[in-house]
Amino acid sequence: MTSVALVVLDTLRKDAFDRHFQWLPGTRFKYAYAPSHYTVPSHASLFTGLYPSETGTNANSHQFTSPHPPLACRLQAEGLETHAFSANVQISRQFGWDRGFDSYDGSWNSKHANAVDDIFEWNAFIREHRDEGPQRYLKALWACLSSECDTVPSLKHGLEIKYRTHTVSDSGAQEALSHVRGTDFADDAFLFINLMEAHGPYRPPEEYRTVEFEEMPGFAESVQAEPVDETYAETIRQAYDDSVRYLSEKYEAIFAELSDEFDYVITLADHGENLGEKGIWGHGLGLYPELTHVPLSIWGMDGGETRDEVVSLIDVHRTILGMAGIGDDEYEGRGRDLRSPVAYEPQLTEYLGLNMWRERKLEAAGRADEFSTYDRELYGIATAENYYGYEDFNEEFVESGTSTLEAPRDRMDEAVDNLDYLEETDDIDVSDSVMESLEDLGYA
């Protein structure tokens, strides 16, 4: 038995990681690829060792489902103590990501999604009564006290929202640090963390800001394929870089704690971020290399070299099972154990369309035609020698590098034909507070 920490630095580009995380020790994988372009499908692959299309968790179903027991369940069944801290509302109890975890906590802005108690919807009530001035806060207090919610937890949550909204510019890293320091981990333990500092809206604490940045006009109402003045584009890129610099400093403190508590610490990004390449912003569209080529580092293995095999985040699932001593007698997914060198096998990437919330947003903005343009399936393939080829929205196959395979697109099509698609499940209704958080993150 052993102890493993898995840390997802949400939305961290590979080039930004190389620039700001030189301090991070461990074995680095030069050519690691995410199986998809955004949080939900990539996490489903991490927890199952399957491609997103095989998990039933994708653009049209954010509820986490799996045809097999997910990673935390497997580890829990083997006697590991399982813990999670997620700053991302999409990776919360609300959507079923707590399966197999003994404890599942989150940052202040995602606690309403992770909460077991019936918490009063403060943000939704105040937003509904925004035209009533300061009096709306008294009305909200009365509505809380007179409702059927759990009163004490609701009051605590309301005070925390009020305090942190006006005083704290942190997406959860500081709370994650406190969580790690305050938890007495067992000798055999698994910890999952998701940190959101590199994610939009790119607002680190004031002392880290070198530019003043407000969200791009129309960004939330589009599919993030917007023409942007180059001067403003540079401001956005610098705001992102400021956020990554802050994330690096906070994670250095978190990593110091984790490396003292755990035998292995796996650090990765679930996807990257487009910063104007090909006119695309964010991570809602396509399989561009800025989205799929991601950082991956494993501390705790022998040596600290940089390895150049082409690997996938899908491999992390089997790697963790191997670290925990779980053998081949049960389901292990498609991945490989990265503790030893692996063959130069091609790796797929998948784009399975725009999420349903984006469709509603576009319809409300009178831009429904954009949805049909971008709501389609696309695939990509990564092979040795830094080759990456992917389908784009113009029905072209875009390639970079030199493939060691003949006809890589044909190999990609063969691999796609071999996928064991799992039909997506009906998604759940989310609360007003969760929907508001999804809107703030640009997903809805």
Side-chain angles (χ1 to χ4, degrees), residues 26-321:
T27 298
R28 296 189 178 209
F29 293 82
K30 190 175 182 180
Y31 303 120
Y33 283 83
S36 193
H37 62 104
Y38 78 110
T39 297
V40 169
S42 283
H43 278 75
S45 291
L46 280 172
F47 285 4
T48 63
L50 295 169
Y51 282 107
S53 57
E54 299 176 308
T55 69
T57 302
N58 54 54
N60 291 310
S61 179
H62 284 200
Q63 182 76 1
F64 177 50
T65 57
S66 173
H68 304 278
L71 179 62
C73 289
R74 296 288 307 281
L75 298 173
Q76 189 181 58
E78 292 293 325
L80 273 74
E81 190 178 83
T82 54
H83 301 272
F85 180 97
S86 174
N88 193 328
V89 68
Q90 290 192 109
I91 310 299
S92 63
R93 290 182 184 275
Q94 176 95 24
F95 297 102
W97 294 95
D98 59 325
R99 291 173 58 195
F101 285 100
D102 297 318
S103 68
Y104 204 96
D105 204 350
S107 60
W108 72 273
N109 55 3
S110 66
K111 280 183 179 175
H112 53 267
N114 285 320
V116 176
D117 301 310
D118 184 12
I119 302 297
F120 180 73
E121 307 260 349
W122 293 96
N123 288 332
F125 186 93
I126 291 170
R127 187 172 69 251
E128 182 180 350
H129 297 268
R130 62 166 61 92
D131 296 333
E132 299 179 27
Q135 186 178 0
R136 68 187 186 276
Y137 294 106
L138 292 175
K139 283 190 173 183
L141 177 61
W142 173 249
C144 173
L145 294 173
S146 58
S147 71
E148 296 181 357
C149 69
D150 287 338
T151 305
V152 174
S154 293
L155 290 173
K156 288 181 178 179
H157 185 55
L159 288 172
E160 189 167 34
I161 290 174
K162 182 71 173 174
Y163 168 72
R164 292 184 177 274
T165 298
H166 295 284
T167 63
V168 178
S169 296
D170 185 283
S171 295
Q174 184 59 48
E175 288 179 273
L177 177 60
S178 298
H179 179 82
V180 171
R181 287 175 172 170
T183 302
D184 183 16
F185 295 104
D187 291 338
D188 301 321
F190 172 66
L191 171 65
F192 162 72
I193 296 177
N194 176 292
L195 300 178
M196 292 283 284
E197 272 61 34
H199 196 288
Y202 315 149
R203 294 195 186 105
E206 188 171 353
E207 60 269 28
Y208 290 84
R209 299 179 193 175
T210 61
V211 294
E212 288 302 319
F213 169 67
E214 295 295 334
E215 187 175 20
M216 180 164 38
F219 203 61
E221 290 75 29
S222 75
V223 289
Q224 301 177 353
E226 298 291 297
V228 178
D229 175 83
E230 185 56 30
T231 300
Y232 187 49
E234 281 302 316
T235 298
I236 299 173
R237 295 181 189 118
Q238 187 58 49
Y240 175 83
D241 198 70
D242 291 344
S243 299
V244 172
R245 185 162 47 87
Y246 173 63
L247 171 64
S248 174
E249 183 171 309
K250 298 307 296 184
Y251 185 53
E252 189 167 7
I254 294 171
F255 179 84
E257 299 288 335
L258 295 177
S259 59
D260 188 53
E261 288 277 356
F262 291 85
D263 298 310
Y264 296 97
V265 180
I266 303 173
T267 305
L268 57 87
D270 54 343
H271 56 78
E273 187 84 320
N274 272 112
L275 295 174
E277 295 85 2
K278 294 182 169 57
I280 306 298
W281 298 89
H283 50 272
L285 292 179
L287 293 172
Y288 307 102
E290 293 81 10
L291 299 180
T292 57
H293 187 194
V294 295
L296 169 61
S297 173
I298 302 178
W299 176 87
M301 302 194 304
D302 292 336
E305 74 275 19
T306 297
R307 286 168 49 180
D308 61 3
E309 307 106 304
V310 175
V311 301
S312 172
L313 297 189
I314 287 174
D315 295 319
V316 172
H317 175 265
R318 180 170 291 193
T319 302
I320 293 176
L321 292 180

Side-chain angles (χ1 to χ4, degrees), residues 319-348:
T319 302
I320 293 176
L321 292 180
M323 291 171 174
I326 300 177
D328 297 332
D329 55 331
E330 293 186 58
Y331 165 78
E332 289 188 323
R334 291 180 172 272
R336 303 158 297 173
D337 190 335
L338 297 179
R339 292 178 299 166
S340 301
V342 294
Y344 285 79
E345 297 177 0
Q347 302 296 322
L348 280 179

